[in-house]
Amino acid sequence: MTKIFTIIFLFAAFVNAQESTAGNVEYIPPAKYAKLVDALTDAGIPFPKASDIVSLSYDKFAQEFSIVVNEQSTGGQKTIKVGYINKKFDEQMSRINQPIGIFKETVVDESELKKQNGRVYFMGNTTLKSLWLYPNAINTIGENVDDQVIAGMVLLTGGATLYGTYLFTKNRELGYGRVAMMNYGSELLGFHYPQLLSVFLHNSTNVDDDDENWRYDSYGYSYYEPKAKTSEKAAAWASAVGFPLGIYIGSKVNFTGNHDYGNAAVMATFSRWAYLYGYLLPSFYENSLTEEEYFGTASVLTMTLLPVGYYAGYKFIDGKEISAGRSFMIASGGVMGTATGALLPTLFEVDEYRVYTSAALLGNIAGTLFGYKFNMKHNYTFGQGVFMSLSAAAGAAVALSVPLIMQADNHQAYTLAGLGGGWSGYFLGENLARSIFDSSERDKKESASNISFPIAYEWPLILGANLAEKKTGNMLKTPVVDIIRINL
């Protein structure tokens, strides 16, 4: 599929470099023959050698290529006409019924390959992550390391990571698709798995039993001595090793193309949904699980679902090319679907928590499919996807203002207003995004920015802690998660 789009793009690029135009026929300059032949050959399509081509033209309305070549046997010339590249290409062109230039947004041209935006984004993203990860890991492993040492490690880590990532990527071609896989590899093995491992060890093993932090002085008075638990030290070691390992694995796997950022983002989104399913599914058995059993089971299930989700995203894409904006729509659709599913039962004041859990999971599936299927004929940019999500939030805010101003005292009014306003804002945002962004060439390029909503994946952690607290009556440390993360 990627090869076909490469060929399509090459023809589209020729439109802007044509030597002359007569009617609907576009003549392709000789300088482009070699690249065109290579692309067609790679796709398994018979084509004359570039040296044999006398002229090459494309009738965009008839969708027909005319190739004039030198005939070796007679010494004369002959014309070859190609109606379409293959059946799939012909079906695509018939469906959209637009000039071939429509595909310019979906393929990166040669000038884009020379840019270093992907490399700079990867270096900056990795450096910022390491500035948090390694000093914290050292502080946990070393226990109460002096603040000056920590400050020195921050500076050393930042500089070493920046130059290290430069050397690692020096001889690599880094498109945003590859960068997205490398960034998620570092996130997966440097953050997700170590933290989940810590939760599992603490709740399902006895490694922390001897890590009592209460001490007694020489007079017999007790005092609290801050000390990292064994499970926390294990997570710190796993983070330190897993972070660079995840980057390396991300640089080697070939789940998607080098420049297919949208595909890589969809797979990462599906993987992150593991938190939602991993922490909600065990809640169906809340009455038969102790606090430790619940968190131990949830952590193991989440660790299992992280790679399963990534592979599910790979199969979900099924070789299609997903735009950056579409990938963000899939993620935001899943978030909105989950929220919708969890809130709908409140309209009927349902008391059974399994209904809420089931509705949230079903809403996640429905919202994800909605984001994927909505207006599929349009390829959205990353900026358009972000704008639609912001518009949904703005729509919900405007709608909620009505019952607030009217001082409504029934929760159904707020639920209906929030859901109605959110989805209305989303549809309005889609219309506005296309009218605003499509009019500017500057906004048509894919953005390197990355916006994520960790709360969408990690809120089951908080829910689980609250359920356990209600059940046991013990005060628990509520997990802290970010609501939004923005990497520029």
Side-chain angles (χ1 to χ4, degrees):
M1 183 64 179
T2 303
K3 292 177 181 177
I4 296 302
F5 275 117
T6 302
I7 297 167
I8 294 171
F9 168 73
L10 286 172
F11 283 119
F14 298 154
V15 172
N16 295 326
Q18 57 186 310
E19 291 178 331
S20 62
T21 301
N24 299 325
V25 178
E26 298 162 350
Y27 290 90
I28 300 169
K32 303 290 185 179
Y33 292 171
K35 289 183 181 180
L36 179 60
V37 171
D38 290 342
L40 289 165
T41 303
D42 289 342
I45 300 169
F47 208 74
K49 295 179 181 180
S51 58
D52 293 335
I53 298 176
V54 177
S55 69
L56 182 58
S57 61
Y58 173 63
D59 188 329
K60 60 182 179 180
F61 289 161
Q63 297 180 0
E64 185 176 76
F65 297 96
S66 296
I67 312 160
V68 179
V69 297
N70 288 317
E71 195 168 24
Q72 301 294 335
S73 58
T74 63
Q77 296 178 348
K78 67 176 181 179
T79 300
I80 302 173
K81 292 190 177 183
V82 182
Y84 54 85
I85 294 177
N86 60 23
K87 184 178 180 181
K88 191 172 226 181
F89 170 76
D90 189 46
E91 291 173 350
Q92 290 169 338
M93 299 308 294
S94 299
R95 183 180 74 249
I96 62 175
N97 194 28
Q98 291 186 17
I100 198 166
I102 190 68
F103 290 101
K104 288 181 181 178
E105 286 186 41
T106 63
V107 182
V108 180
D109 63 17
E110 188 177 357
S111 64
E112 289 294 322
L113 298 179
K114 297 178 182 178
K115 294 182 179 180
Q116 300 298 306
N117 295 353
R119 191 184 315 278
V120 173
Y121 174 46
F122 168 72
M123 292 167 62
N125 184 282
T126 304
T127 300
L128 290 175
K129 286 180 181 176
S130 67
L131 288 174
W132 180 90
L133 186 147
Y134 283 105
N136 277 278
I138 292 170
N139 187 42
T140 301
I141 296 170
E143 293 188 25
N144 303 319
V145 179
D146 187 87
D147 290 343
Q148 282 186 294
V149 176
I150 294 296
M153 290 305 303
V154 170
L155 298 177
L156 177 62
T157 298
T161 304
L162 183 67
Y163 293 123
T165 51
Y166 168 77
L167 293 174
F168 180 69
T169 62
K170 183 178 180 181
N171 298 317
R172 297 174 184 269
E173 181 184 304
L174 288 186
Y176 284 125
R178 176 62 61 187
V179 167
M181 287 187 283
M182 293 165 70
N183 284 343
Y184 188 66
S186 67
E187 176 187 328
L188 189 66
L189 299 187
F191 294 88
H192 294 316
Y193 270 106
Q195 294 304 315
L196 291 167
L197 175 65
S198 177
V199 174
F200 169 74
L201 291 175
H202 179 72
N203 290 280
S204 300
T205 70
N206 59 0
V207 297
D208 289 341
D209 289 354
D210 298 329
D211 294 335
E212 179 60 55
N213 288 5
W214 288 100
R215 299 289 183 267
Y216 295 90
D217 60 19
S218 57
Y219 299 100
Y221 292 102
S222 62
Y223 65 94
Y224 187 82
E225 179 185 53
K227 181 182 178 182
K229 292 180 170 60
T230 301
S231 60
E232 294 172 347
K233 292 181 181 179
W237 279 110
S239 294
V241 176
F243 185 71
L245 179 61
I247 294 174
Y248 177 77
I249 294 175
S251 70
K252 294 296 184 180
V253 296
N254 292 309
F255 284 101
T256 189
N258 191 43
H259 297 279
D260 297 331
Y261 171 82
N263 292 33
V266 169
M267 290 185 281
T269 295
F270 272 61
S271 179
R272 293 187 184 109
W273 290 133
Y275 280 93
L276 186 69
Y277 292 86
Y279 275 84
L280 287 188
L281 288 176
S283 68
F284 281 97
Y285 306 96
E286 179 198 9
N287 293 330
S288 60
L289 296 175
T290 65
E291 173 193 333
E292 289 78 12
E293 288 172 339
Y294 168 77
F295 281 105
T297 302
S299 60
V300 170
L301 183 57
T302 303
M303 285 191 283
T304 303
L305 291 177
L306 280 168
V308 171
Y310 199 87
Y311 183 73
Y314 170 74
K315 298 300 290 184
F316 179 80
I317 294 170
D318 192 28
K320 301 179 181 68
E321 293 191 12
I322 307 297
S323 65
R326 178 70 61 184
S327 70
F328 194 87
M329 290 169 64
I330 290 172
S332 61
V335 173
M336 293 179 65
T338 303
T340 302
L343 289 173
L344 282 178
T346 64
L347 296 174
F348 309 98
E349 300 185 348
V350 178
D351 291 331
E352 177 56 55
Y353 69 89
R354 290 183 178 87
V355 173
Y356 291 91
T357 301
S358 301
L361 295 179
L362 291 174
N364 173 259
I365 296 172
T368 299
L369 290 174
F370 168 81
Y372 173 67
K373 292 287 188 180
F374 181 66
N375 202 2
M376 288 193 70
K377 64 184 179 182
H378 190 80
N379 282 325
Y380 295 93
T381 66
F382 187 85
Q384 288 174 318
V386 172
F387 184 84
M388 280 183 267
S389 298
L390 294 177
S391 178
V398 171
L400 283 170
S401 68
V402 176
L404 284 172
I405 293 172
M406 296 178 65
Q407 298 181 329
D409 57 1
N410 107 29
H411 66 85
Q412 285 92 343
Y414 293 94
T415 300
L416 288 172
L419 292 178
W423 285 105
S424 297
Y426 189 88
F427 290 114
L428 175 61
E430 189 273 340
N431 185 274
L432 294 176
R434 285 195 290 118
S435 63
I436 296 173
F437 289 86
D438 283 357
S439 63
S440 172
E441 282 294 331
R442 180 188 62 190
D443 294 318
K444 287 184 178 180
K445 296 183 178 179
E446 305 293 5
S447 172
S449 301
N450 180 20
I451 300 178
S452 61
F453 301 91
I455 187 67
Y457 315 107
E458 299 175 5
W459 66 266
L461 289 169
I462 302 175
L463 176 63
N466 289 334
L467 290 175
E469 182 177 324
K470 290 180 180 179
K471 184 176 180 180
T472 62
N474 299 324
M475 292 296 291
L476 300 175
K477 182 180 178 182
T478 302
V480 178
V481 300
D482 297 330
I483 295 177
I484 183 171
R485 291 183 190 143
I486 303 176
N487 298 322
L488 300 176

